[in-house]
Amino acid sequence: MAVYAQPGSGARFDWGLTGAAELGRVCAALVVVDVLSFTTAVEVAVGRGMRVHPFPWGEQAAEYARRVGAVAAVGRRQMTPEHPWSLSPAALRTAPIVEDLVLPSPNGSAISAAASATGLPVVAACLRNSGAVGRWLRAQGYGSADAPVGVVAAGERWPDGSLRPCVEDQLGAASVLDALSGVPGGLSVEAAMALAALASTPDVPAAVRGCVSGRELTEGGFAEDVAVAVDAGVSEVVPVLRQGYFSAA
């Protein structure tokens, strides 16, 4: 139904792969938010000059990397001194720079890869660069009812594969929507309600560290990834997905 696309608003909000597909039918640009950790890793890698190719999670990522002449990232626990590229933003801050990096993940990367088929600009946003993303979108003329922006919180997965909405991505998406406040088309009700979560969270880094996803990473030995992700507002990097890879706008 057309109503699911939140018509008439300049900035819209939804969750996951299905929400991205719905907004991708009608929006002029999409923003994907996967704070822990895909879009944070993209911001770090692109900020260091790498081109990041999104790819759904799976064994085919290595084969795809070979086809495009890229290095394939591995899982955090599969990193070695010889292969330090993974979904870990902290590791990517110090890993050797490669020209092209395939960065698979089951959520943000899978959504980005699917969204690239729409031909729309797809932007990777996180807490580190949300303000820069909002400013770039406004400068490009997005945010009217005729050129709306769709902001998609990637979410996590339950063991059965269903979507698990999560605190960190709602707050990351809300940070982008905050930077889009006042766009000519206004916010949809869904976007305004997502933004309300930010207003009621006095300490966003503490909320992300204390939420399920943040605790899961910390207890698994990856507290530094959470620390990188909650360093809000430090980046002016705007990674835009064109021609199959993210690079700086």
Side-chain angles (χ1 to χ4, degrees):
M1 293 178 63
V3 68
Y4 292 144
Q6 304 164 40
S9 302
R12 309 174 189 187
F13 170 77
D14 218 314
W15 282 95
L17 188 63
T18 303
E22 187 67 27
L23 294 183
R25 294 189 306 102
V26 294
C27 288
L30 290 178
V31 180
V32 177
V33 182
D34 185 352
V35 170
L36 296 175
S37 297
F38 174 72
T39 53
T40 299
V42 171
E43 183 276 326
V44 169
V46 168
R48 299 187 68 209
M50 300 186 229
R51 301 191 301 195
V52 177
H53 300 248
F55 197 82
W57 194 253
E59 296 178 357
Q60 296 82 11
E63 174 57 31
Y64 175 74
R66 283 192 288 271
R67 291 205 313 267
V68 299
V71 170
V74 296
R76 286 178 172 88
R77 299 191 184 281
Q78 282 71 54
M79 284 191 299
T80 65
E82 296 74 30
H83 198 101
W85 301 279
S86 81
L87 197 60
S88 163
L92 287 176
R93 295 179 84 178
T94 58
I97 295 172
V98 294
E99 186 172 1
D100 289 274
L101 179 69
V102 173
L103 190 62
S105 88
N107 301 306
S109 193
I111 292 168
S112 298
S116 69
T118 65
L120 301 176
V122 179
V123 184
C126 58
L127 291 170
R128 295 169 60 85
N129 71 345
S130 57
V133 167
R135 289 188 292 274
W136 182 83
L137 289 165
R138 296 173 75 128
Q140 298 300 308
Y142 298 116
S144 67
D146 294 329
V149 178
V151 179
V152 179
E156 296 291 345
R157 298 279 179 176
W158 289 110
D160 66 0
S162 60
L163 174 70
R164 176 174 71 79
C166 55
V167 168
E168 70 275 12
D169 290 349
Q170 182 166 6
L171 291 174
S175 296
V176 176
L177 292 165
D178 185 46
L180 291 172
S181 294
V183 292
L187 305 183
S188 68
V189 171
E190 288 75 11
M193 293 303 295
L195 180 56
L198 186 66
S200 62
T201 307
D203 190 337
V204 169
V208 174
R209 286 192 295 266
C211 74
V212 168
S213 303
R215 291 168 59 190
E216 179 183 28
L217 278 177
T218 298
E219 292 171 11
F222 298 101
E224 185 60 25
D225 285 344
V226 181
V228 173
V230 301
D231 203 1
V234 299
S235 175
E236 291 296 316
V237 176
V238 179
V240 181
L241 177 60
R242 298 189 181 100
Q243 299 179 321
Y245 56 83
F246 284 102
S247 59

